[in-house]
Structures are given as C-alpha cells and as structure tokens.
Amino acid sequence: MTPQAYAQQKAAASGSSFYYAFLFLPPPRRAAITAFYDYCREIDDVVDEARDPSVAQLKLHWWRQQVARCFDAAHGAPEHPALQALQPHLAAYGVEASHLLQIIDGCQMDLEQSRYLDYPGLQRYCHLVAGVVGEVAARIFGQHEAQTTAYAHRLGLALQLTNIIRDVGEDALRGRIYLPINELQRFEVKAHELLKRGQGAEPGFEPRFQALLRFQIERALGVYEEALALLPAADRRAQKPGLMMASIYRTLLHQIAADPQQVLTQRVRLTPLRKFWLAWKVQALGRL
C-alpha cells in the first residue's frame, strides 16, 4: 500500500466529519489535507490509546524525530506512511516544522494535564491541538489574505470546544475533564459527578449539568460567529471546507442542546447522509 493510499484509507475509515469536507476539494489539495489529517489522527491516537504515559512520551519523541526528517534530509527520510504522504505537500502549502511540532505539544499536554482551571488555560490547549490545525488547513485549502489565519485559529477553537462538549462522557472514562474547573464550580457541578458520568450524583445533578452544558454550547456557538466574521470575503470561496465543518459542528451542537444529558453516556452523531447534505449545501449554495 502506498503512503497516499494509507492516508486515504485511514481518513475514510475514521467516519470523521472532516472527511465530508475534503470530498469537494481538487485532487492535489484533497491529497494534502487528507495526509495532514492522518498525521493529526496518528498523534492523537498516541495519547488516546496509551495505557502507560511513559510509553506515550517515547512515542511522541519518536514522532518529533520523524518531523525533523521531513524538513532536513540529513536526518533521513520519514519512516511512517502518514508523514511520507504529507512530506511532498509541505513546501507547496507553506507548512512548517513548527506547525507539526505544536500539534505534538498539544497532545503531550494530555499526558501531563487532565484538568483546566479556567477558560484561558483551556484556550491555550485548544490552540495547539486545533488552532494550529486550522491554520495549516487554511493554507492547504487556499489562503490569500493574512486575516484568514485569525479566522482559522478561531474556527479551530470553536471546533475543539464542540469536541469537548460532545466527548464529556468519553473523556470522563479516561479520567479527563476539559470543562474549566471554575465553571464547574459556578454551576455547582462536582468533578466526581462528571467522572462517574452522573451515576450516584448528588440530588439536582441533572439541571445543574444541563445548565453547565448549555453555557458551554452558547459560548461555542458564539466563537463560530466570531470566526465567520473574521473570514475575508476574498478567501470565502477557497475556505469552503472549513465552512462545511462549521455547519456540521454547529448542527451537532444544536442536537446536543436538545438533550445535554446524552453526552454523558453516548457520543452524539449526525448521520453520514446529513453530514454530506450540510457539506453539499455549503458547496452548492455558499451558505451555512
């Protein structure tokens, strides 16, 4: 299997909403973003699948060495098919080593930190694991205006906040709480109630948790609006894949808002047909 086929297979098998946004890109850009997406998934999986943090640290160190190989032939060629698929596109789209390394930095935070005291602290994490991803994606999609980078960072934050809201229950199973601690305190939701996914919670947990989630959802929806306001008109056509993601993820947020409690016990999803419809609507009509 070629590195390009490997990346394509991984992206298609993931069932991710991102895959639907990639379908409408011309082949060279689609190949580049698919390879980049695969790289991000590989790094994320190191942490999500790790049972021993020390082993995960070693794996992330190995990935740093692989990134170095992509940008300096003196280190040798990258060994992993994800980077072998991505390397030919790096120069064409202005992807730098710092971009790829910051994504590793963000995932390493998951090995060192399982709580965030406040929203500014959470934003720093989101920038590394999603804002930088948005910046690279915007370059691959076709960026002409410098202001588009600010849009990409903001959209990355919105998408990551959506992931955090959707994955409250799954993250609890791993002992992680991304919702800021001071906001849990504000809504009187205890950390142990989240970690147990509401089981055996103190009286009144459900309305407290729903109020907390609706606050998170409203903030995330606001960040989407901020991102869209930052996108220059000259880049709007090229950045349609990002707008597709915004449409899909905003729809997901509204679905969660109808019953916030469900995120504790299941992953809320849109059907593949609905994702495709939302992506097509942006492609064909140019609106979310």
Side-chain angles (χ1 to χ4, degrees):
M1 181 184 295
T2 66
Q4 292 74 22
Y6 174 87
Q8 175 66 27
Q9 184 182 75
K10 290 275 287 189
S14 72
S16 169
S17 301
F18 287 87
Y19 179 70
Y20 295 87
F22 302 163
L23 292 175
F24 298 93
L25 285 168
R29 297 186 188 277
R30 185 167 66 244
I33 194 64
T34 299
F36 176 62
Y37 171 79
D38 183 32
Y39 166 78
C40 294
R41 284 296 300 262
E42 296 285 352
I43 301 301
D44 192 53
D45 287 347
V46 169
V47 176
D48 284 346
E49 297 174 2
R51 299 192 178 189
D52 184 338
S54 64
V55 172
Q57 291 279 15
L58 288 173
K59 288 183 177 180
L60 291 181
H61 177 69
W62 181 84
W63 275 102
R64 292 182 191 278
Q65 294 175 322
Q66 293 295 301
V67 168
R69 291 185 174 204
C70 283
F71 293 89
D72 187 349
H75 294 284
E79 301 169 81
H80 198 283
L83 283 176
Q84 290 172 355
L86 179 59
Q87 187 179 28
H89 304 288
L90 298 173
Y93 298 110
V95 182
E96 302 170 4
S98 61
H99 292 129
L100 303 185
L101 292 173
Q102 284 182 85
I103 293 166
I104 297 176
D105 290 341
C107 288
Q108 185 159 343
M109 287 181 69
D110 277 325
L111 298 176
E112 302 167 350
Q113 189 170 345
S114 60
R115 304 285 191 281
Y116 292 87
L117 294 178
D118 52 28
Y119 184 54
L122 179 62
Q123 283 181 293
R124 178 177 177 273
Y125 166 76
C126 290
H127 173 72
L128 292 174
V129 299
V132 175
V133 173
E135 179 180 344
V136 172
R139 294 184 181 202
I140 294 174
F141 296 154
Q143 177 178 348
H144 303 286
E145 302 289 335
Q147 176 68 17
T148 299
T149 299
Y151 147 82
H153 286 167
R154 208 67 185 160
L155 180 61
L157 172 62
L159 295 173
Q160 188 61 25
L161 291 176
T162 304
N163 283 336
I164 288 169
I165 292 166
R166 180 197 63 194
D167 295 343
V168 168
E170 290 184 15
D171 290 330
L173 291 174
R174 300 187 179 102
R176 299 178 189 166
I177 298 176
Y178 290 98
L179 304 181
I181 295 301
N182 66 344
E183 293 173 6
L184 266 63
Q185 294 171 340
R186 173 180 168 184
F187 290 92
E188 300 181 337
V189 173
K190 309 295 192 298
H192 72 84
E193 293 177 314
L194 286 186
L195 292 175
K196 294 180 180 178
R197 302 196 298 168
Q199 297 181 3
E202 298 175 16
F205 170 74
E206 185 169 330
R208 289 184 279 114
F209 177 75
Q210 291 189 3
L212 170 66
L213 257 288
R214 290 199 168 100
F215 171 78
Q216 304 294 325
I217 290 168
E218 286 302 315
R219 177 166 60 198
L221 290 171
V223 176
Y224 281 110
E225 293 301 322
E226 294 166 6
L228 296 174
L230 288 169
L231 178 59
D235 271 351
R236 187 175 180 87
R237 183 180 180 84
Q239 298 300 319
K240 277 186 177 181
L243 298 178
M244 293 174 189
M245 289 306 308
S247 179
I248 292 170
Y249 268 54
R250 288 202 312 184
T251 302
L252 181 65
L253 280 178
H254 287 298
Q255 186 162 313
I256 293 172
D259 180 15
Q261 210 76 13
Q262 61 188 316
V263 301
L264 289 173
T265 56
Q266 62 182 296
R267 171 172 283 210
V268 182
R269 303 176 187 270
L270 303 181
T271 66
L273 181 60
R274 193 173 188 192
K275 291 178 184 178
F276 183 80
W277 162 249
L278 291 168
W280 179 87
K281 188 167 66 171
V282 173
Q283 175 66 20
L285 305 179
R287 66 172 186 267
L288 276 65

